[in-house]
Amino acid sequence: MNKEQLMESARSMKERAYAPYSKFPVGAALLLKDGTVINGVNVENVSLGATNCAERTAIFTAIANGYKKGDLQAIAVAGDTADFLPPCSICRQVLAEFCLPDMPVYLTNEKKEILELTLKDLLPFAFTDLEM
Ligand code: THU
């Protein structure tokens, strides 16, 4: 699967987002090293604080399905933003728990351009005890 296909998977997930409060749907597509794609959406809550971002939904689902640290190959994130939508800081920290620093993170904008970054670009000098 190439990055365009992965991003299309993230983009198409937005319609499943549960975002009645922010009205800001986000979709994520997580590519595993075995070729599996696991999707996520943001799931909001009236308490707001209990909201889960699309990226974390995808990562937690992967872990719940038996995938381990180091099994994650890339993640794509799509929202309805004019500019590239970056993962929030909590999601960056969760990515750092399970992903190598050089894992690609694909962002997109309203022109459907794809910006390829790495986790390390998004979270330099990360607090982590990873030994991968
Ligand atoms: N959100 C995500 O799901 N991922 C991001 O990368 C940024 C923000 C969600 C959280 C919340 O439901 C809504 O977008 C507005 O912040």
Side-chain angles (χ1 to χ4, degrees):
M1 164 156 303
N2 62 33
K3 62 185 173 184
E4 286 78 16
Q5 291 168 319
L6 193 66
M7 185 57 77
E8 195 45 49
S9 176
R11 195 175 283 116
S12 68
M13 282 305 290
K14 285 185 297 173
E15 66 186 47
R16 296 191 191 167
Y18 178 75
Y21 307 106
S22 70
K23 306 200 186 318
F24 189 86
V26 183
L30 180 64
L31 179 64
L32 285 307
K33 288 184 178 164
D34 68 2
T36 300
V37 175
I38 290 182
N39 291 106
V41 296
N42 52 332
V43 183
E44 298 187 343
N45 187 275
V46 66
S47 75
L48 303 182
T51 291
N52 208 59
C53 291
E55 299 91 320
R56 273 177 287 149
T57 302
I59 294 163
F60 295 159
T61 302
I63 298 304
N65 278 278
Y67 291 96
K68 309 290 182 201
K69 281 183 181 180
D71 289 342
L72 288 67
Q73 182 153 312
I75 189 166
V77 186
D80 289 329
T81 50
D83 206 348
F84 296 104
L85 172 65
C88 81
S89 300
I90 296 173
C91 288
R92 295 177 198 204
Q93 185 66 36
V94 170
L95 283 163
E97 184 75 24
F98 297 109
C99 309
L100 293 166
D102 60 356
M103 191 186 87
V105 179
Y106 303 121
L107 312 182
T108 194
N109 59 9
E110 67 180 359
K111 292 180 183 167
K112 297 192 174 183
E113 294 166 322
I114 295 176
L115 176 63
E116 178 174 346
L117 301 171
T118 64
L119 175 57
K120 198 172 183 178
D121 293 329
L122 290 163
L123 190 64
F125 203 52
F127 174 56
T128 172
D129 64 357
L130 278 186
E131 288 178 23
M132 295 195 299

